[in-house]
Amino acid sequence: MSDLKTLRAELGHVNDLLADARSREVATVLARFREEIELLGITEQEIRWALGYDRPAPAPAKYYDSATGRKWSGRGAASSVARGQAPRGLRHRRTPSPSLLARRRVKQSEAR
């Protein structure tokens, strides 16, 4: 049993050494990173863009093929789904206009 206690103590010591080494390495890399940023004059916005932040959300799919599950938003090059090369299951998703939604609400309230 004392063998297990010794091994756990050694493992804890090794984990502490690893955490210290990692923190020193991170500090070194970040210092080098700061120097490069200052040297090149990179802005925070450029860094955020390079890391994938502050990008617009992808457009929702307007067209989809129920047979294959392929989608196309209507932006960019037309995929085979939109060019008519897709199987017959092609459908167009439409978002109801605000005026249509308002008319539906009026009809529902009149029916009550």
Side-chain angles (χ1 to χ4, degrees):
M1 194 56 129
S2 64
D3 223 12
L4 182 60
K5 288 182 182 179
T6 331
L7 289 174
R8 284 188 179 164
E10 288 177 15
L11 179 61
H13 180 67
V14 169
N15 284 337
D16 291 340
L17 291 174
L18 283 172
D20 291 342
R22 182 186 183 283
S23 64
R24 283 193 306 272
E25 186 71 23
V26 166
T28 304
V29 169
L30 290 177
R32 207 172 14 186
F33 185 58
R34 278 187 210 104
E35 290 173 6
E36 294 284 331
I37 288 172
E38 289 174 7
L39 177 68
L40 297 173
I42 299 173
T43 65
E44 180 183 354
Q45 185 178 6
E46 290 171 326
I47 293 171
R48 291 180 63 81
W49 180 262
L51 294 176
Y53 301 106
D54 300 338
R55 291 193 180 174
K62 288 184 181 177
Y63 302 93
Y64 71 99
D65 181 358
S66 58
T68 63
R70 295 187 61 186
K71 300 175 183 177
W72 183 54
S73 66
R75 294 184 182 173
S79 68
S80 62
V81 172
R83 286 192 303 252
Q85 298 175 359
R88 290 185 181 163
L90 181 65
R91 299 181 189 273
H92 181 259
R93 282 190 185 164
R94 292 187 191 165
T95 305
S97 66
S99 61
L100 176 63
L101 292 174
R103 285 188 301 229
R104 285 182 185 167
R105 281 190 218 111
V106 168
K107 285 181 182 178
Q108 288 174 353
S109 64
E110 288 175 355
R112 291 181 188 169

